[in-house]
Amino acid sequence: MALSYCFIQKMVQNIAPIVVQQRIEKMGQFSSTDFFFTLSKNRDQALFISLNPSAPFVGLFPKNQLSHQVVTPFFQSLRKELDHAFIHDMKLLDDNRII
């Protein structure tokens, strides 16, 4: 199910003030398409990103509800690239549904 541009715009507006200007502390893979990132200043919640084509999602979840369960080669590459990365900004790219 594709998410509407307006819905994604609202998600970004709600999440960006919490996520921006933080470092990614830890990363985990919940399933083959779902990832979570704990942040440096917001230790109670984790940024959850689902790349599932039928139900994509970006949101904040309580950290205690997420556990590291799966490790794939993609996740290992992602972890190398994003280890202690700094989130400068979170916005929609042009007028697409790309965050």
Side-chain angles (χ1 to χ4, degrees):
M1 176 179 97
L3 300 176
S4 73
Y5 178 81
C6 291
F7 181 75
I8 294 173
Q9 190 176 33
K10 291 290 184 190
M11 284 192 320
V12 170
Q13 289 172 354
N14 291 333
I15 296 170
I18 298 168
V19 171
V20 171
Q21 302 298 316
Q22 292 196 53
R23 287 201 179 281
I24 294 173
E25 292 287 314
K26 293 182 181 177
M27 300 181 346
Q29 187 171 12
F30 190 68
S31 70
S32 62
T33 59
D34 301 333
F35 306 90
F36 61 92
F37 307 88
T38 58
L39 305 170
S40 58
K41 296 178 187 173
N42 191 2
R43 303 209 183 238
D44 301 349
Q45 296 178 319
L47 177 65
F48 183 83
I49 299 174
S50 176
L51 301 177
N52 186 332
S54 62
F57 181 77
V58 174
L60 294 171
F61 274 75
K63 194 171 108 179
N64 60 2
Q65 291 184 0
L66 301 171
S67 63
H68 183 75
Q69 294 183 357
V70 179
V71 176
T72 62
F74 174 71
F75 176 70
Q76 291 173 335
S77 298
L78 187 66
R79 188 182 339 191
K80 286 179 187 175
E81 294 295 325
L82 296 179
D83 188 35
H84 291 83
F86 187 77
I87 302 171
H88 291 281
D89 198 6
M90 182 179 200
K91 61 184 177 183
L92 283 167
L93 184 62
D94 300 324
D95 284 329
N96 294 314
R97 293 178 296 145
I98 301 170
I99 299 175

